Amino acid sequence: MEKIELPKKGNVVIIGYAATGKTTFSNTLQFDGSLYHTDDYLKYGSVESLYVLMEDLKKNSNQLKVIEGIGGYRLLRKGLQLGNFQADLIIECQAANEIRYDRIKARSKNIQATFNMDKACEKIWADYLLLCKQLPPIKFVKS
């Protein structure tokens, strides 16, 4: 995977469909700050998880915060809607569907449900783009 220069502080959001390498990529990053995995917040429920994450992100405002996961799509959109979260850099992880299929199958996940989630992410991303007055820089990483 390619090396991406991160800002010294602010918010970096790593998004991508399921099984595109978001977690793997985020775990390779070397930076001073905090790493948040949106999946870790699912224990709070699908709706409340986003608000708990947003509260946690308010802490340590002077450091770099890297947020990775499919929940990053919702975070970007809701942050703009509420005016309380802005990304300074977005990194989108991408992988061919054949690679994703093998990864999803290896995890014993429902393949069709996982690919259906792509459509929800596309909708949320389209909503975000409509709301965003100035898009932050976007970098792409292929796995």
Side-chain angles (χ1 to χ4, degrees), residues 29-76:
L29 296 174
Q30 295 180 357
F31 64 96
D32 290 325
S34 298
L35 175 61
Y36 299 83
H37 300 280
T38 62
D39 285 357
D40 292 347
Y41 290 82
L42 292 175
K43 63 187 174 194
Y44 299 104
S46 61
V47 175
E48 190 62 25
S49 62
L50 181 60
Y51 296 100
V52 174
L53 172 60
M54 291 174 111
E55 282 301 312
D56 283 354
L57 292 172
K58 290 179 183 176
K59 302 169 187 169
N60 304 318
S61 60
N62 290 328
Q63 71 173 7
L64 178 63
K65 293 178 280 290
V66 176
I67 305 99
E68 76 80 23
I70 289 179
Y73 287 102
R74 291 177 52 224
L75 174 65
L76 290 168

Side-chain angles (χ1 to χ4, degrees), residues 50-119:
L50 181 60
Y51 296 100
V52 174
L53 172 60
M54 291 174 111
E55 282 301 312
D56 283 354
L57 292 172
K58 290 179 183 176
K59 302 169 187 169
N60 304 318
S61 60
N62 290 328
Q63 71 173 7
L64 178 63
K65 293 178 280 290
V66 176
I67 305 99
E68 76 80 23
I70 289 179
Y73 287 102
R74 291 177 52 224
L75 174 65
L76 290 168
R77 180 181 64 182
K78 186 57 79 174
L80 282 182
Q81 289 170 335
L82 298 176
N84 65 358
F85 180 84
Q86 180 76 29
D88 298 292
L89 173 65
I90 298 172
I91 300 171
E92 182 179 346
C93 292
Q94 302 172 334
N97 281 341
E98 298 80 22
I99 294 170
R100 294 178 59 219
Y101 179 90
D102 291 341
R103 291 174 180 168
I104 294 164
K105 191 174 175 185
R107 296 176 189 164
S108 300
K109 300 284 185 179
N110 182 317
I111 293 168
Q112 188 58 48
T114 303
F115 279 101
N116 286 344
M117 189 179 297
D118 293 356
K119 291 177 181 52

Side-chain angles (χ1 to χ4, degrees), residues 4 12-23 25-26 29 36 38 66-77 85 87 89-95 100 121-122 124-126 128-129 135-143:
I4 294 178
V12 174
V13 181
I14 302 172
I15 58 172
Y17 299 148
T20 55
K22 297 175 299 297
T23 301
F25 176 73
S26 69
L29 296 174
Y36 299 83
T38 62
V66 176
I67 305 99
E68 76 80 23
I70 289 179
Y73 287 102
R74 291 177 52 224
L75 174 65
L76 290 168
R77 180 181 64 182
F85 180 84
L89 173 65
I90 298 172
I91 300 171
E92 182 179 346
C93 292
Q94 302 172 334
R100 294 178 59 219
C121 292
E122 288 172 11
I124 294 167
W125 181 247
Y128 171 75
L129 293 176
L135 200 59
I138 301 175
K139 305 284 184 181
F140 298 93
V141 176
K142 295 190 185 285
S143 66

